[in-house]
């Protein structure tokens, strides 16, 4: 490599320079004449013009990182739910308005282009979006961080609603090319599968394997209002040979292509999460595929500037976003011990200082375990390493006093009950120096319940870092109206220091600010109502209360509790149509995992209830119910700013944190919620008078369960609840198919109501009545909405990343000079 300073065009960001760039990029980058350019081509050209401006920063940040020999964070995640990049990059660079003007200068409406960009939907929900917010914050804070994951060809499926039911279509998001990524065909690592191990000269060799190559695609992650950037590196699978040559030579072209396809399938598609461990072989291949390439890549980068592994753990931090990438542990051990000949004990010591792990769920059925037999077939060397780590761990544990064989069985990395399985969370705990939960409650329950033995063995290892969200996307980008108003009131610094929002409290009682605040929210509701009118054919009153539950469809999140309230409200309106009702629009959005029957039935129920309610002339504008299809990052940016009420109603003890709760509160919605996950901390921050808390606490849920929960008693004793459930059971909402929802009824009434919907029902309805009363008290509601915004300082992902950097990764920002 030569180190000459190249002469490149210095790109400034005046309107004139941007207009020139647009023309250049359309012509030389996209290869189109302006007379033939479609909006899609202009978007591509504009993206390239923006990307060009990021690259200079990217290169200088990377150079600085090398010069300062910084410690780097490798954030390993199976999911990065990035959404769109165009607006985000424009705002990070501070060139939104100049670009809009430059495009207008060539006759193009930028707002229309923005909606053409497909979402990068390489994730399911909270965990994937958290990874994306964290990348944004790492870049903004200058923390030298790399995201590593898989470049799925098919992201999260697209959801259509046909006759009220979810229909999935594949999300081929790369159809029109991806202007943001840089393919790196020269960066390529073999990833091996299968085979067996042999001993040779005192070392283990893994032989007779098959392999696939992992090739890198890089995306620049811009920091906000800083020249610091980071890199998201995603791996794509390439067959080692273009075609199966033996098949090709025998003239069997079909088989030649099929072999290639089979090995490239590993990065084909994202697995939807139904919150149970299905144990699919291809999923395990994906997990190993991306961590193997990542570990090879980070070792190569480390060895570029170091000749021994002596300082490895001073220079490298690897973070596991849940257990999905946990095979990075045995893979790093294998590379250090078998390939680089580092002694086992030294290697293990490095590994333990390098790795850290975030847990995102307490639900036992969602914790990853993998069949020993499957691991021994696919990754025999890794299984040996896991067994060796386990043997050493169990030996030390019993030396340390854990003699009880029952305890040893409980903490073993291998579950020996029935078919043997490796407990991936236990492996992550044993081989990491820090393990964190994602909210205070979750971290407490984690050490009290699922990992209690480990918390006793390693008390210093467990910690909490409450989740956060990036205010750049979730306020500045999603709600320009509210963001502009806040800028006028307290200046623009909240974007980089969200605690600044606390200054809004000084405006308490300022009638003109409150008026402007209401107007900003209203404009977001009008914006949404327009879009909804377009595809539902319904009209929505922007002065109604917009009540929103937007998240994956899952029984523990209790969309059913919300639906039951809607039904009761409907029955009440019909019983007393002449009474004053606070008009409401109840909005639902979210995807159900394709294999999750109950979740799909819940979607159908919501739509059947909506059809009945929306077409009942007695009800009119007093109640509307909408299921908005295809929830994702971009739709969230449209929905969330329009919410007045945020539904965060999971059974206490089941939602690890939630992050939608933070996004909605930041946009001035009041929360109706249980004392679960981060809701508790939101309540502490905004004050109990500005939030509607209801229902059983986590401890009360445990108590009720152990005392013997009898859901049928609630059904029998509450007449309104009984009526609603009977309507569901007898086909009131599905007259053409009266038995359609009988399983929902039985799940709640006869089969144990695992998530205690009926136990919280009465309290929920009461809390909703309190919501109605507050909403009509306009000044009081507005004051609370402002308090919610003002109280969101600690829920910035910048705060979360600063905590990770200081307490877990022990990294410092790069100096930009
Ligand atoms: C695992 C194995 C096989 C196939 C899929 C999966 C899988 C995929 C995704 C398992 C879980 C997920 C995603 C989990 C998730 O999003 N959890 C959420 O994480 C958020 C960020 O911490 C929290 O705020 C939410 O409370 C939590 O539910």
């Amino acid at each position: 490599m030569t180190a000459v300073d190249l002469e490149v065009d210095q790109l400034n960001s005046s309107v004139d320079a941007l207009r020139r760039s647009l023309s250049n990029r359309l012509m030389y980058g996209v290869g189109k004449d302006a007379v033939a350019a479609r909006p899609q081509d202009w978007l591509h050209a504009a993206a390239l013009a923006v990307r060009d401006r990021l690259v200079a920063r990217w290169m200088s940040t990377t150079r600085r990182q090398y010069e300062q020999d910084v410690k780097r964070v490798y954030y390993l995640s199976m999911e990065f739910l990035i959404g769109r990049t165009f607006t985000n990059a424009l705002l990070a660079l501070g060139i939104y308005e100049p670009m809009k003007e430059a495009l207008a200068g060539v006759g193009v409406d930028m707002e229309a282009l923005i909606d053409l960009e497909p979402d990068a939907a390489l994730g399911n929900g909270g965990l994937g979006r958290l990874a994306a917010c964290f990348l944004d914050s790492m870049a903004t804070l200058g923390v030298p961080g790399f995201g590593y994951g898989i470049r799925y060809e098919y992201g999260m499926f697209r959801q259509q609603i046909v006759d009220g039911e979810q229909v999935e279509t594949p999300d081929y998001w790369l159809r029109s090319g991806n202007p943001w990524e840089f393919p790196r065909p020269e960066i390529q690592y073999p990833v091996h599968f299968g085979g067996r191990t042999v001993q040779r000269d005192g070392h283990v060799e893994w032989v007779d394997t098959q392999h696939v190559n992992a090739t890198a695609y890089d995306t620049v992650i811009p920091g906000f209002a800083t020249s610091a950037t980071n890199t998201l590196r995603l791996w794509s699978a390439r067959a080692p040979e273009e075609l199966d040559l033996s098949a090709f030579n025998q003239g069997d072209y079909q088989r030649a292509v099929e072999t290639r396809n089979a090995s490239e399938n590993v990065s084909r598609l994202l697995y939807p999460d139904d919150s149970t461990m299905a144990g699919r072989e291809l999923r395990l291949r994906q997990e190993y595929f991306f961590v193997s390439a990542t570990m090879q890549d980070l070792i190569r980068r480390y060895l570029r500037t170091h000749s021994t592994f002596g300082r490895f753990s001073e220079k490298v931090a690897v973070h596991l976003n849940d257990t999905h990438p946990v095979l990075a542990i045995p893979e790093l051990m294998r590379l250090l011990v078998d390939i680089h000949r580092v002694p086992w004990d030294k290697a293990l010591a490095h590994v333990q200082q390098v790795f850290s792990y975030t847990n995102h769920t307490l639900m036992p059925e969602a914790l990853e375990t993998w069949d020993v037999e499957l691991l021994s077939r696919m990754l025999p060397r890794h299984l040996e390493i896991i067994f060796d780590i386990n043997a050493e761990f169990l030996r030390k544990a019993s030396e340390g006093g854990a003699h009880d064989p029952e305890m040893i069985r409980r903490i073993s990395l291998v579950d020996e009950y029935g078919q043997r399985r490796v407990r991936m969370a236990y492996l992550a705990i044993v081989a990491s120096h820090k393990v964190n939960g994602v909210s205070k409650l979750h971290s407490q329950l984690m050490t009290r319940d699922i990992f209690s033995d480990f918390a006793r063995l390693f008390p210093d290892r467990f910690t909490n870092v409450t989740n956060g969200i990036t205010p750049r996307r979730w306020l500045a980008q999603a709600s320009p109206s509210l963001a502009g108003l806040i800028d006028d009131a307290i200046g623009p610094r909240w974007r980089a220091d969200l605690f600044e929002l606390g200054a809004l409290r000084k405006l308490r009682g300022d009638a003109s600010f409150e008026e402007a605040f209401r107007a900003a929210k209203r404009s977001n509701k009008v914006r949404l109502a327009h879009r909804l009118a377009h595809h539902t054919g319904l009209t929505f009153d922007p002065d109604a209360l917009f009540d929103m539950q937007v998240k994956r469809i899952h029984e523990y999140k209790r969309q059913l509790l919300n639906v039951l309230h809607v039904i009761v409200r409907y029955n009440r309106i019909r019983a007393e149509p002449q009474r004053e009702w606070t008009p409401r629009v109840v909005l639902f959005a979210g995807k159900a995992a394709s294999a999750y029957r109950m979740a799909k039935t819940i979607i159908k129920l919501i739509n059947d209830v909506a059809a009945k309610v929306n077409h009942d002339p007695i009800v009119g504008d007093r109640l509307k119910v909408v299921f908005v299809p295809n929830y994702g990052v971009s739709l969230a940016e449209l929905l969330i700013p329009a919410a007045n009420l945020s539904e965060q109603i999971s059974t206490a003890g089941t939602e690890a944190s939630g992050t939608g709760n933070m996004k909605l509160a930041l946009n001035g919605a009041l929360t109706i919620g249980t004392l679960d996950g981060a809701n508790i901390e939101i309540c502490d921050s905004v004050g109990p008078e500005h939030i509607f808390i209801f229902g059983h606490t986590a401890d009360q849920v445990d108590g009720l369960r152990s005392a013997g929960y009898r859901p049928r008693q609630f059904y029998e004793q509450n007449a309104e609840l009984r009526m609603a459930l009977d309507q569901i059971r007898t086909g009131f909402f599905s007259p053409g198919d009266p038995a359609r929802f009988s399983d929902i009824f039985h799940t709640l009434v006869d089969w144990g109501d695992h998530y205690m919907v009926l136990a919280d029902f009465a309290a929920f309805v009461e809390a909703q009545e309190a919501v109605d009363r507050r909403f009509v008290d306009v000044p009081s509601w507005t004051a609370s909405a402002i308090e919610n915004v003002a109280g969101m300082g600690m829920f910035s992902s910048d705060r979360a990343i600063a905590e990770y950097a200081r307490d877990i990764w022990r990294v410092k920002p790069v100096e930009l000079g």
Side-chain angles (χ1 to χ4, degrees), residues 78-79 124-128 130 271-280 283 287 321-322 324 358-361 363 366 368 370 438 467 556-557 654-662:
M78 286 284 278
E79 309 196 356
N124 274 284
L127 169 150
L130 185 75
Y271 270 88
D273 162 41
D274 62 2
S275 297
T276 55
M277 242 302 289
R280 291 286 164 69
R283 165 82 185 190
E287 296 186 357
N321 196 23
D322 213 305
H324 315 153
T358 299
N359 170 278
H360 297 266
T361 183
M363 285 187 282
E368 269 191 305
W370 289 101
V438 289
N467 282 166
Y556 85 79
K557 296 178 185 284
T654 63
E655 188 71 273
S657 162
T659 46
N661 46 4
M662 303 169 189

Short mmCIF file of all heavy atoms in Angstrom, two decimals, residues 78-79 124-128 130 271-280 283 287 321-322 324 358-361 363 366 368 370 438 467 556-557 654-662, ligand 1:
data_model
loop_
_atom_site.label_atom_id
_atom_site.label_comp_id
_atom_site.label_asym_id
_atom_site.label_seq_id
_atom_site.Cartn_x
_atom_site.Cartn_y
_atom_site.Cartn_z
N MET A 78 -27.11 -10.20 15.44
CA MET A 78 -27.75 -10.85 14.30
C MET A 78 -28.70 -9.88 13.60
O MET A 78 -29.19 -10.18 12.51
CB MET A 78 -28.57 -12.07 14.76
CG MET A 78 -27.76 -13.27 15.14
SD MET A 78 -27.10 -14.16 13.71
CE MET A 78 -28.53 -15.16 13.24
N GLU A 79 -28.97 -8.74 14.25
CA GLU A 79 -29.97 -7.83 13.71
C GLU A 79 -29.51 -6.38 13.80
O GLU A 79 -29.00 -5.95 14.85
CB GLU A 79 -31.29 -7.97 14.48
CG GLU A 79 -31.76 -9.43 14.61
CD GLU A 79 -33.21 -9.57 15.01
OE1 GLU A 79 -33.86 -8.55 15.28
OE2 GLU A 79 -33.67 -10.72 15.04
N ASN A 124 -35.92 -7.86 13.68
CA ASN A 124 -37.30 -8.15 14.04
C ASN A 124 -37.98 -7.00 14.75
O ASN A 124 -39.12 -6.66 14.46
CB ASN A 124 -37.34 -9.36 14.98
CG ASN A 124 -37.36 -10.67 14.23
OD1 ASN A 124 -38.38 -11.07 13.70
ND2 ASN A 124 -36.22 -11.35 14.19
N GLY A 125 -37.30 -6.45 15.75
CA GLY A 125 -37.97 -5.46 16.59
C GLY A 125 -36.97 -4.80 17.51
O GLY A 125 -35.91 -4.35 17.06
N GLY A 126 -37.29 -4.77 18.79
CA GLY A 126 -36.54 -3.99 19.77
C GLY A 126 -35.05 -4.23 19.78
O GLY A 126 -34.25 -3.28 19.80
N LEU A 127 -34.67 -5.49 19.75
CA LEU A 127 -33.24 -5.81 19.84
C LEU A 127 -32.46 -5.29 18.63
O LEU A 127 -31.35 -4.77 18.76
CB LEU A 127 -33.09 -7.33 20.01
CG LEU A 127 -31.76 -8.03 19.89
CD1 LEU A 127 -31.76 -9.26 20.78
CD2 LEU A 127 -31.51 -8.46 18.45
N GLY A 128 -33.07 -5.41 17.46
CA GLY A 128 -32.41 -4.95 16.24
C GLY A 128 -32.37 -3.43 16.15
O GLY A 128 -31.38 -2.84 15.72
N LEU A 130 -32.41 -1.44 18.73
CA LEU A 130 -31.47 -1.00 19.76
C LEU A 130 -30.05 -0.97 19.17
O LEU A 130 -29.30 -0.02 19.38
CB LEU A 130 -31.51 -1.94 20.96
CG LEU A 130 -30.65 -1.50 22.15
CD1 LEU A 130 -31.32 -0.35 22.89
CD2 LEU A 130 -30.39 -2.67 23.11
N TYR A 271 -34.32 -14.63 10.20
CA TYR A 271 -35.31 -15.46 10.89
C TYR A 271 -36.24 -14.60 11.72
O TYR A 271 -35.80 -13.82 12.55
CB TYR A 271 -34.62 -16.47 11.82
CG TYR A 271 -34.30 -17.76 11.13
CD1 TYR A 271 -33.10 -17.94 10.45
CD2 TYR A 271 -35.22 -18.81 11.14
CE1 TYR A 271 -32.82 -19.13 9.80
CE2 TYR A 271 -34.94 -20.00 10.49
CZ TYR A 271 -33.74 -20.15 9.82
OH TYR A 271 -33.47 -21.33 9.18
N PRO A 272 -37.55 -14.77 11.50
CA PRO A 272 -38.49 -14.05 12.35
C PRO A 272 -38.48 -14.65 13.76
O PRO A 272 -38.33 -15.86 13.92
CB PRO A 272 -39.85 -14.26 11.69
CG PRO A 272 -39.57 -14.85 10.36
CD PRO A 272 -38.25 -15.54 10.44
N ASP A 273 -38.65 -13.79 14.74
CA ASP A 273 -38.64 -14.20 16.14
C ASP A 273 -40.05 -14.48 16.60
O ASP A 273 -40.89 -13.59 16.60
CB ASP A 273 -38.04 -13.07 16.97
CG ASP A 273 -38.39 -13.19 18.45
OD1 ASP A 273 -38.34 -14.33 18.96
OD2 ASP A 273 -38.69 -12.17 19.07
N ASP A 274 -40.33 -15.74 17.01
CA ASP A 274 -41.64 -15.97 17.62
C ASP A 274 -41.46 -16.20 19.12
O ASP A 274 -42.35 -16.71 19.79
CB ASP A 274 -42.39 -17.12 16.95
CG ASP A 274 -41.66 -18.44 17.07
OD1 ASP A 274 -40.59 -18.48 17.70
OD2 ASP A 274 -42.18 -19.46 16.56
N SER A 275 -40.26 -15.82 19.61
CA SER A 275 -39.97 -15.92 21.04
C SER A 275 -40.01 -17.35 21.58
O SER A 275 -40.17 -17.55 22.77
CB SER A 275 -40.87 -15.01 21.86
OG SER A 275 -40.61 -13.67 21.50
N THR A 276 -39.87 -18.34 20.71
CA THR A 276 -39.57 -19.68 21.20
C THR A 276 -38.35 -20.16 20.42
O THR A 276 -38.11 -19.71 19.30
CB THR A 276 -40.72 -20.67 20.96
OG1 THR A 276 -41.04 -20.66 19.56
CG2 THR A 276 -41.94 -20.31 21.77
N MET A 277 -37.59 -21.04 21.01
CA MET A 277 -36.37 -21.51 20.37
C MET A 277 -36.75 -22.67 19.44
O MET A 277 -37.06 -23.75 19.91
CB MET A 277 -35.43 -22.03 21.46
CG MET A 277 -34.13 -21.31 21.59
SD MET A 277 -33.19 -21.34 20.07
CE MET A 277 -32.70 -23.06 20.05
N ALA A 278 -36.73 -22.43 18.15
CA ALA A 278 -37.15 -23.49 17.22
C ALA A 278 -36.01 -24.46 16.92
O ALA A 278 -36.24 -25.60 16.54
CB ALA A 278 -37.70 -22.88 15.95
N GLY A 279 -34.76 -24.03 17.09
CA GLY A 279 -33.64 -24.95 16.89
C GLY A 279 -33.38 -25.30 15.44
O GLY A 279 -32.97 -26.42 15.12
N ARG A 280 -33.62 -24.36 14.54
CA ARG A 280 -33.38 -24.59 13.12
C ARG A 280 -31.90 -24.64 12.78
O ARG A 280 -31.13 -23.75 13.15
CB ARG A 280 -34.03 -23.48 12.31
CG ARG A 280 -35.52 -23.50 12.33
CD ARG A 280 -36.08 -24.64 11.46
NE ARG A 280 -37.49 -24.91 11.75
CZ ARG A 280 -38.47 -24.07 11.46
NH1 ARG A 280 -38.20 -22.95 10.86
NH2 ARG A 280 -39.71 -24.37 11.74
N ARG A 283 -30.36 -21.56 11.04
CA ARG A 283 -30.17 -20.46 11.97
C ARG A 283 -28.83 -20.62 12.70
O ARG A 283 -28.07 -19.66 12.87
CB ARG A 283 -31.34 -20.43 12.95
CG ARG A 283 -31.15 -19.58 14.19
CD ARG A 283 -31.41 -18.11 13.93
NE ARG A 283 -31.09 -17.33 15.14
CZ ARG A 283 -31.38 -16.06 15.32
NH1 ARG A 283 -31.98 -15.38 14.37
NH2 ARG A 283 -31.05 -15.45 16.43
N GLU A 287 -25.54 -18.13 12.70
CA GLU A 287 -24.89 -17.59 13.89
C GLU A 287 -23.38 -17.83 13.82
O GLU A 287 -22.59 -16.93 14.11
CB GLU A 287 -25.50 -18.22 15.16
CG GLU A 287 -26.97 -17.85 15.34
CD GLU A 287 -27.60 -18.31 16.66
OE1 GLU A 287 -26.91 -18.98 17.47
OE2 GLU A 287 -28.77 -18.02 16.88
N ASN A 321 -24.90 -9.06 21.53
CA ASN A 321 -26.27 -8.58 21.61
C ASN A 321 -27.18 -9.80 21.72
O ASN A 321 -27.58 -10.40 20.72
CB ASN A 321 -26.63 -7.75 20.37
CG ASN A 321 -27.88 -6.91 20.58
OD1 ASN A 321 -28.26 -6.60 21.71
ND2 ASN A 321 -28.53 -6.53 19.48
N ASP A 322 -27.46 -10.17 22.96
CA ASP A 322 -28.13 -11.43 23.29
C ASP A 322 -27.19 -12.60 22.99
O ASP A 322 -26.02 -12.39 22.66
CB ASP A 322 -29.48 -11.57 22.58
CG ASP A 322 -30.48 -12.35 23.46
OD1 ASP A 322 -30.16 -13.48 23.87
OD2 ASP A 322 -31.56 -11.82 23.75
N HIS A 324 -27.32 -14.68 20.54
CA HIS A 324 -27.25 -15.10 19.14
C HIS A 324 -25.82 -15.20 18.60
O HIS A 324 -25.54 -16.07 17.80
CB HIS A 324 -28.12 -14.21 18.25
CG HIS A 324 -29.48 -13.94 18.83
ND1 HIS A 324 -30.21 -12.81 18.55
CD2 HIS A 324 -30.24 -14.64 19.71
CE1 HIS A 324 -31.35 -12.83 19.22
NE2 HIS A 324 -31.38 -13.93 19.93
N THR A 358 -25.26 -8.85 26.73
CA THR A 358 -26.54 -8.28 27.15
C THR A 358 -27.64 -9.31 27.01
O THR A 358 -27.80 -9.91 25.94
CB THR A 358 -26.91 -7.05 26.28
OG1 THR A 358 -25.91 -6.05 26.43
CG2 THR A 358 -28.25 -6.47 26.71
N ASN A 359 -28.38 -9.50 28.09
CA ASN A 359 -29.55 -10.37 28.04
C ASN A 359 -30.79 -9.52 27.74
O ASN A 359 -30.94 -8.43 28.27
CB ASN A 359 -29.69 -11.09 29.39
CG ASN A 359 -31.00 -11.83 29.51
OD1 ASN A 359 -32.03 -11.25 29.84
ND2 ASN A 359 -30.98 -13.11 29.22
N HIS A 360 -31.68 -10.04 26.87
CA HIS A 360 -32.87 -9.27 26.50
C HIS A 360 -34.18 -9.97 26.85
O HIS A 360 -35.25 -9.49 26.46
CB HIS A 360 -32.91 -8.96 25.00
CG HIS A 360 -31.78 -8.10 24.52
ND1 HIS A 360 -31.88 -6.74 24.40
CD2 HIS A 360 -30.54 -8.43 24.12
CE1 HIS A 360 -30.74 -6.25 23.94
NE2 HIS A 360 -29.90 -7.26 23.76
N THR A 361 -34.12 -11.10 27.53
CA THR A 361 -35.38 -11.76 27.86
C THR A 361 -35.24 -12.64 29.09
O THR A 361 -34.19 -13.22 29.33
CB THR A 361 -35.92 -12.62 26.71
OG1 THR A 361 -37.18 -13.17 27.10
CG2 THR A 361 -35.01 -13.78 26.35
N MET A 363 -37.84 -14.83 29.60
CA MET A 363 -38.77 -15.93 29.38
C MET A 363 -38.01 -17.20 29.00
O MET A 363 -37.30 -17.24 27.99
CB MET A 363 -39.80 -15.54 28.32
CG MET A 363 -40.81 -14.57 28.95
SD MET A 363 -42.17 -14.17 27.90
CE MET A 363 -41.43 -13.00 26.82
N ALA A 366 -37.65 -18.64 25.58
CA ALA A 366 -36.96 -17.85 24.56
C ALA A 366 -35.44 -17.94 24.70
O ALA A 366 -34.73 -17.44 23.83
CB ALA A 366 -37.41 -16.40 24.63
N GLU A 368 -31.85 -19.32 24.33
CA GLU A 368 -31.29 -20.22 23.32
C GLU A 368 -30.58 -21.43 23.95
O GLU A 368 -29.73 -21.26 24.83
CB GLU A 368 -30.24 -19.48 22.48
CG GLU A 368 -30.78 -18.83 21.24
CD GLU A 368 -29.64 -18.34 20.33
OE1 GLU A 368 -28.79 -17.57 20.81
OE2 GLU A 368 -29.64 -18.74 19.17
N TRP A 370 -28.88 -25.20 22.24
CA TRP A 370 -28.70 -25.96 21.00
C TRP A 370 -28.36 -27.40 21.33
O TRP A 370 -27.56 -27.69 22.23
CB TRP A 370 -27.60 -25.33 20.12
CG TRP A 370 -28.04 -24.03 19.51
CD1 TRP A 370 -27.72 -22.78 19.94
CD2 TRP A 370 -28.89 -23.86 18.36
NE1 TRP A 370 -28.31 -21.83 19.14
CE2 TRP A 370 -29.03 -22.46 18.16
CE3 TRP A 370 -29.55 -24.73 17.48
CZ2 TRP A 370 -29.80 -21.93 17.11
CZ3 TRP A 370 -30.30 -24.20 16.45
CH2 TRP A 370 -30.43 -22.81 16.27
N VAL A 438 -31.43 -4.87 30.61
CA VAL A 438 -31.71 -3.68 29.83
C VAL A 438 -32.65 -2.69 30.50
O VAL A 438 -33.06 -1.69 29.89
CB VAL A 438 -32.22 -4.06 28.42
CG1 VAL A 438 -31.08 -4.65 27.59
CG2 VAL A 438 -33.38 -5.05 28.48
N ASN A 467 -31.81 0.63 28.54
CA ASN A 467 -31.81 0.95 27.11
C ASN A 467 -32.03 2.44 26.86
O ASN A 467 -32.47 3.17 27.74
CB ASN A 467 -32.94 0.18 26.40
CG ASN A 467 -32.59 -1.28 26.15
OD1 ASN A 467 -33.46 -2.08 25.83
ND2 ASN A 467 -31.33 -1.62 26.28
N TYR A 556 -47.53 -11.87 25.41
CA TYR A 556 -47.07 -11.20 26.64
C TYR A 556 -47.23 -9.68 26.56
O TYR A 556 -47.34 -9.01 27.58
CB TYR A 556 -45.62 -11.61 26.98
CG TYR A 556 -44.51 -10.84 26.31
CD1 TYR A 556 -44.13 -9.57 26.78
CD2 TYR A 556 -43.82 -11.35 25.21
CE1 TYR A 556 -43.10 -8.86 26.18
CE2 TYR A 556 -42.80 -10.66 24.60
CZ TYR A 556 -42.45 -9.41 25.09
OH TYR A 556 -41.44 -8.70 24.49
N LYS A 557 -47.27 -9.13 25.35
CA LYS A 557 -47.46 -7.68 25.20
C LYS A 557 -48.92 -7.28 25.35
O LYS A 557 -49.25 -6.11 25.44
CB LYS A 557 -46.91 -7.23 23.85
CG LYS A 557 -45.38 -7.44 23.72
CD LYS A 557 -44.87 -7.04 22.36
CE LYS A 557 -43.40 -7.34 22.13
NZ LYS A 557 -42.48 -6.39 22.80
N THR A 654 -42.40 -9.33 32.22
CA THR A 654 -42.17 -10.01 30.93
C THR A 654 -41.45 -9.14 29.88
O THR A 654 -40.75 -9.68 29.04
CB THR A 654 -43.49 -10.50 30.29
OG1 THR A 654 -44.32 -9.37 30.00
CG2 THR A 654 -44.22 -11.45 31.22
N GLU A 655 -41.65 -7.84 29.90
CA GLU A 655 -41.01 -6.99 28.88
C GLU A 655 -39.68 -6.51 29.44
O GLU A 655 -39.66 -5.72 30.39
CB GLU A 655 -41.91 -5.80 28.54
CG GLU A 655 -41.43 -4.95 27.37
CD GLU A 655 -41.58 -5.65 26.03
OE1 GLU A 655 -40.64 -6.39 25.64
OE2 GLU A 655 -42.64 -5.47 25.38
N ALA A 656 -38.57 -6.97 28.87
CA ALA A 656 -37.26 -6.68 29.46
C ALA A 656 -37.08 -5.17 29.66
O ALA A 656 -36.70 -4.73 30.74
CB ALA A 656 -36.17 -7.25 28.57
N SER A 657 -37.33 -4.41 28.62
CA SER A 657 -37.23 -2.96 28.75
C SER A 657 -38.37 -2.29 28.00
O SER A 657 -39.18 -1.56 28.56
CB SER A 657 -35.89 -2.49 28.19
OG SER A 657 -35.93 -1.10 27.94
N GLY A 658 -38.43 -2.59 26.70
CA GLY A 658 -39.26 -1.80 25.81
C GLY A 658 -38.45 -0.58 25.41
O GLY A 658 -37.64 -0.06 26.20
N THR A 659 -38.61 -0.15 24.17
CA THR A 659 -37.97 1.09 23.72
C THR A 659 -39.01 1.96 23.01
O THR A 659 -38.85 3.18 22.95
CB THR A 659 -36.79 0.81 22.77
OG1 THR A 659 -37.19 -0.17 21.81
CG2 THR A 659 -35.59 0.28 23.54
N GLY A 660 -40.07 1.35 22.51
CA GLY A 660 -41.18 2.12 21.95
C GLY A 660 -41.77 3.03 23.02
O GLY A 660 -42.16 4.17 22.72
N ASN A 661 -41.82 2.55 24.26
CA ASN A 661 -42.30 3.38 25.37
C ASN A 661 -41.52 4.71 25.42
O ASN A 661 -42.09 5.77 25.63
CB ASN A 661 -42.21 2.60 26.69
CG ASN A 661 -40.89 1.87 26.90
OD1 ASN A 661 -39.97 1.99 26.08
ND2 ASN A 661 -40.79 1.11 27.98
N MET A 662 -40.19 4.64 25.20
CA MET A 662 -39.35 5.85 25.24
C MET A 662 -39.63 6.75 24.03
O MET A 662 -39.73 7.98 24.15
CB MET A 662 -37.87 5.46 25.25
CG MET A 662 -37.50 4.53 26.41
SD MET A 662 -35.84 3.85 26.21
CE MET A 662 -35.85 2.62 27.54
C1 LIG B 1 -33.69 -16.57 18.31
C2 LIG B 1 -33.46 -17.86 17.82
C3 LIG B 1 -33.98 -18.24 16.59
C4 LIG B 1 -34.70 -17.32 15.82
C5 LIG B 1 -34.91 -16.04 16.31
C6 LIG B 1 -34.40 -15.67 17.55
C7 LIG B 1 -34.66 -14.31 18.07
C8 LIG B 1 -34.63 -13.20 17.23
C9 LIG B 1 -34.91 -11.95 17.74
C10 LIG B 1 -34.93 -14.11 19.41
C11 LIG B 1 -35.19 -12.84 19.91
C12 LIG B 1 -35.19 -11.74 19.06
C13 LIG B 1 -35.48 -10.38 19.51
C14 LIG B 1 -35.73 -10.05 20.76
C15 LIG B 1 -36.07 -8.68 21.15
O1 LIG B 1 -36.27 -7.83 20.31
N1 LIG B 1 -36.12 -8.39 22.45
C16 LIG B 1 -36.42 -7.05 22.92
O2 LIG B 1 -35.20 -6.35 23.09
C17 LIG B 1 -35.43 -4.98 23.38
C18 LIG B 1 -34.08 -4.30 23.44
O3 LIG B 1 -33.42 -4.65 24.61
C19 LIG B 1 -36.21 -4.82 24.67
O4 LIG B 1 -36.51 -3.46 24.84
C20 LIG B 1 -37.50 -5.64 24.63
O5 LIG B 1 -38.14 -5.60 25.89
C21 LIG B 1 -37.20 -7.07 24.24
O6 LIG B 1 -38.39 -7.81 24.09
#
